[in-house]
Amino acid sequence: MMSSSAFPDPAANLPPRVESDSMGSLDIPANCLYGCQTQRSLMNFPIGGIESKMPLEVVYAMALVKKCCAEYHAEIGVMDTSVATAIAQAADEVMAGYHDRHFPLVTFQTGSGTQTNMNVNEVLSNRAIQILGGEVGSKSPVHPNDHVNKGQSSNDSFPTAMHIALTKMITEITLPGLQKLHQGLAEKSADFKDIVKIGRTHCQDATPLTLGQEFSGYAQQVEYGIERLQKSLPSICRLALGGTAVGTGLNTSKGYDVAIADRLAKASKLPFVTAPNKFEALAAHDSLVEISGVLNTIACGLNKIANDLRLLASGPRCGLGELSLPENEPGSSIMPGKVNPTQCEAMTMVCAQVMGNHVAVTVGGAQGHFELNVFKPLMVANLLQSARLIGDASKSFTENCVSGLTVNTARVEELMNASLMLVTALNPHIGYDKASEIAKKAHKAGTTLKEAAVASGYLTAEQFDQWIVPSEMIGPK
C-alpha cells in the first residue's frame, strides 16, 4: 500500500470556492475536499485543541459504512454503478489515511455526530466527483446526501461507526496488549514459584507465600479482565444502521439492515450483526457504558499491579527492595544514579485517565432523550482513548518492566526471617494468646522471634525449628 505521504494530494491545487447548502452559501478555503457543513462546524464549534479532535478511527469506520452502503445500493439497482465505485474508491483512500487532514472537526459538536457524518459525506462526495472527472463542490454527479448518505441518518450511521471503531480497537490493540501482559505475569509466576517471601496485609507483615503465588494473583486479575472484555464484545457488535432517523428505518428497504451488517462483517472480519431493536440502538448506549465499566475495572486491577511492583522494588537500599525493576532511563535530573519506576508510573497514570473517562462515558450514557442519545461523540472519543491506552500501556509495561524483573533473594530472605508474623505457625501448638504474647515481647525487646519464644517457656528451641518452617507455611497442611 502506498504511504499517505507518497499519495498525490488530490486537493493540493483546489482554488477557494463558494458552496451552498440548505443554510445558504459559504466560502470554502483552498485545498479542501470538505464542504459547507464541515466549514460551518469549524466556525460554530471552536472548542479545544488537537486533543479534542474527532478520532480518526471513527472517520475510517464511517468511510467503511459509506462504501458498503454504496456498493449495496448499486447491487440492488438504486445507484449508478460508476457513482458507487467512485464512492468506494474514495472511501478506500480515506481508510488508508490518505486524506486525514480533511477531517478537522472536534468531538464537541452535535450529540448525534451529524457534523462528522457530513464531513465524511462531503469529502467522499468531492473526491468521488474528482475520480469521475467532475468539478469539486458541484455535488454532481455525486451528492453528499443523496448518494454518499443514501439510506442513512447520522443517528444510525454514526453509532454504527462508533461500534465498528471500538470493536476494532479492542480486538487489535486492547486485547493483544492485555494478553501479552497476562503471559508475562504468568511466566514470572512460574519463574518465582520456589521463592518464599513474607506476605503483607494492611501494609503490615503477614504470613509467608511464594513470589510465584503473589504473581499468580496479578496474572489472574489480568485474565479476568480479558474474559470480561471478550464477553462484552458481542454487545457492541450489534449495529444501529438501518434505523435511520428514529429507529423506524424510513428511506430504506426491507433487508437493508441485515445486508449492510453482513457486508461490514465481511469487510472488517469482525462479527457484526444488525441490532435486533433499532429504537434501543439509537436512543441508548448501555452496551458502551458496560464495556467502559469493564475497561474501568481492568484499570483498577492494573493500577494495583503497578503499585505493588513499584513498592516491592522500592529502595534500592532504603525500601523493601525485594524486586529490581529494569533500569530503562535516568530517573533524576539532579540525583546521579537514581532510577525510578517509570513504567509503573506511566501505567498508573493511564489507569487514572481510564477511570476519568469512565465517568464521562457514564454521564454520556445517561443522556438518552426520547429517540436519541445525544452524547455519542463524547462517548466514543473517551472509549477509544481508554481502549488504546490500556492496550498500549499493557504492552509497554510487559516489555519494559515485567519481562525484566529480577529478584533480590538475599533481601527477600532477610525480610522474611525478620518477620514476627511467622509466629502464626505456633497457633495450633500453643494457642493464639500465647503466640501473640511471644510476638509482642519480641517486638518490644527487639529480639528475634525464636529468642522470645524460648524465653517464654512455652516451647523449646527444637520445637521452634520444627514448627516454624516458612517453606511449609505457603499452603494448607
Side-chain angles (χ1 to χ4, degrees), residues 77 247 341 367 378 405 427 429 447:
Q367 301 305 314
L378 172 82
L405 285 173
N427 288 0
H429 304 285
T447 63

Side-chain angles (χ1 to χ4, degrees), residues 282-293:
L282 272 62
H285 292 307
D286 297 347
S287 63
L288 298 185
V289 177
E290 176 190 2
I291 210 153
S292 180

Side-chain angles (χ1 to χ4, degrees), residues 45-53 104-108:
F45 302 99
I47 302 171
I50 191 170
E51 80 289 341
S52 298
K53 298 297 182 186
L105 302 188
V106 296
T107 298
F108 305 102

Side-chain angles (χ1 to χ4, degrees), residues 376-387:
K376 299 182 195 297
L378 172 82
M379 294 183 75
V380 71
N382 280 274
L383 278 164
L384 285 171
Q385 185 187 44
S386 291

Side-chain angles (χ1 to χ4, degrees), residues 50-70:
I50 191 170
E51 80 289 341
S52 298
K53 298 297 182 186
M54 178 64 69
L56 285 170
E57 290 86 359
V58 176
V59 169
Y60 300 157
M62 293 210 75
L64 179 62
V65 170
K66 307 298 179 181
K67 176 182 177 179
C68 289
C69 288

Side-chain angles (χ1 to χ4, degrees), residues 155-436:
N155 296 352
D156 68 342
S157 63
F158 190 84
T160 296
M162 290 165 59
H163 284 230
I164 293 171
L166 184 58
T167 303
K168 284 177 62 66
M169 181 68 76
I170 289 172
T171 55
E172 295 174 5
I173 302 295
T174 316
L175 282 171
L178 288 169
Q179 287 160 348
K180 186 180 186 70
L181 177 56
H182 174 259
Q183 181 181 353
L185 291 168
E187 288 173 356
K188 287 300 177 182
S189 178
D191 292 344
F192 300 157
K193 64 183 176 62
D194 296 324
I195 300 174
V196 182
K197 56 158 287 179
I198 198 63
R200 297 178 180 88
T201 58
H202 304 274
C203 289
Q204 302 293 306
D205 302 345
T207 55
L209 76 167
T210 69
L211 191 57
Q213 289 172 325
E214 195 166 38
F215 269 72
S216 75
Y218 304 147
Q220 188 65 71
Q221 278 187 282
V222 177
E223 184 176 355
Y224 282 153
I226 292 169
E227 290 175 358
R228 285 189 290 264
L229 203 51
Q230 289 171 329
K231 287 179 180 178
S232 297
L233 271 178
S235 68
I236 61 168
C237 286
R238 299 193 291 261
L239 304 180
L241 203 72
T244 61
V246 296
T248 60
L250 177 67
N251 289 349
T252 66
S253 54
K254 286 186 177 181
Y256 163 81
D257 55 348
V258 174
I260 297 298
D262 184 59
R263 284 176 177 270
L264 289 167
K266 290 177 180 176
S268 64
K269 297 181 174 59
L270 292 168
F272 294 119
V273 296
T274 191
N277 188 301
K278 304 301 188 297
F279 305 101
E280 182 272 343
L282 272 62
H285 292 307
D286 297 347
S287 63
L288 298 185
V289 177
E290 176 190 2
I291 210 153
S292 180
V294 173
L295 294 172
N296 186 67
T297 303
I298 290 170
C300 291
L302 296 179
N303 193 81
K304 194 269 185 189
I305 293 167
N307 272 336
D308 275 11
L309 295 191
R310 65 172 158 188
L311 289 172
L312 290 171
S314 59
R317 296 280 180 93
C318 302
L320 297 182
E322 293 183 348
L323 294 179
S324 290
L325 303 179
E327 298 183 354
N328 297 326
E329 62 272 313
S332 173
S333 61
I334 189 172
M335 291 176 279
K338 194 171 192 294
V339 178
N340 291 331
T342 53
Q343 286 293 319
C344 298
E345 292 165 3
M347 175 61 87
T348 51
M349 285 191 284
V350 161
C351 293
Q353 184 65 60
V354 171
M355 293 172 194
N357 287 351
H358 180 53
V359 174
V361 172
T362 302
V363 173
Q367 301 305 314
H369 303 130
F370 303 114
E371 277 62 64
L372 190 68
N373 174 285
V374 291
F375 272 56
K376 299 182 195 297
L378 172 82
M379 294 183 75
V380 71
N382 280 274
L383 278 164
L384 285 171
Q385 185 187 44
S386 291
R388 176 175 286 282
L389 286 176
I390 285 177
D392 287 350
S394 294
K395 182 175 183 290
S396 176
F397 190 64
T398 307
E399 294 175 349
N400 298 308
C401 181
V402 173
S403 296
L405 285 173
T406 56
V407 183
N408 299 321
T409 53
R411 180 62 172 165
V412 168
E413 292 177 5
E414 175 192 354
L415 292 174
M416 182 184 63
N417 292 328
S419 174
L420 299 178
M421 289 304 101
L422 298 177
V423 77
T424 306
L426 298 181
N427 288 0
H429 304 285
I430 64 173
Y432 180 93
D433 291 337
K434 291 178 180 178
S436 179

Side-chain angles (χ1 to χ4, degrees), residues 208 213 471-477:
Q213 289 172 325
S471 61
E472 297 179 2
M473 299 171 64
I474 59 174
K477 292 290 185 181

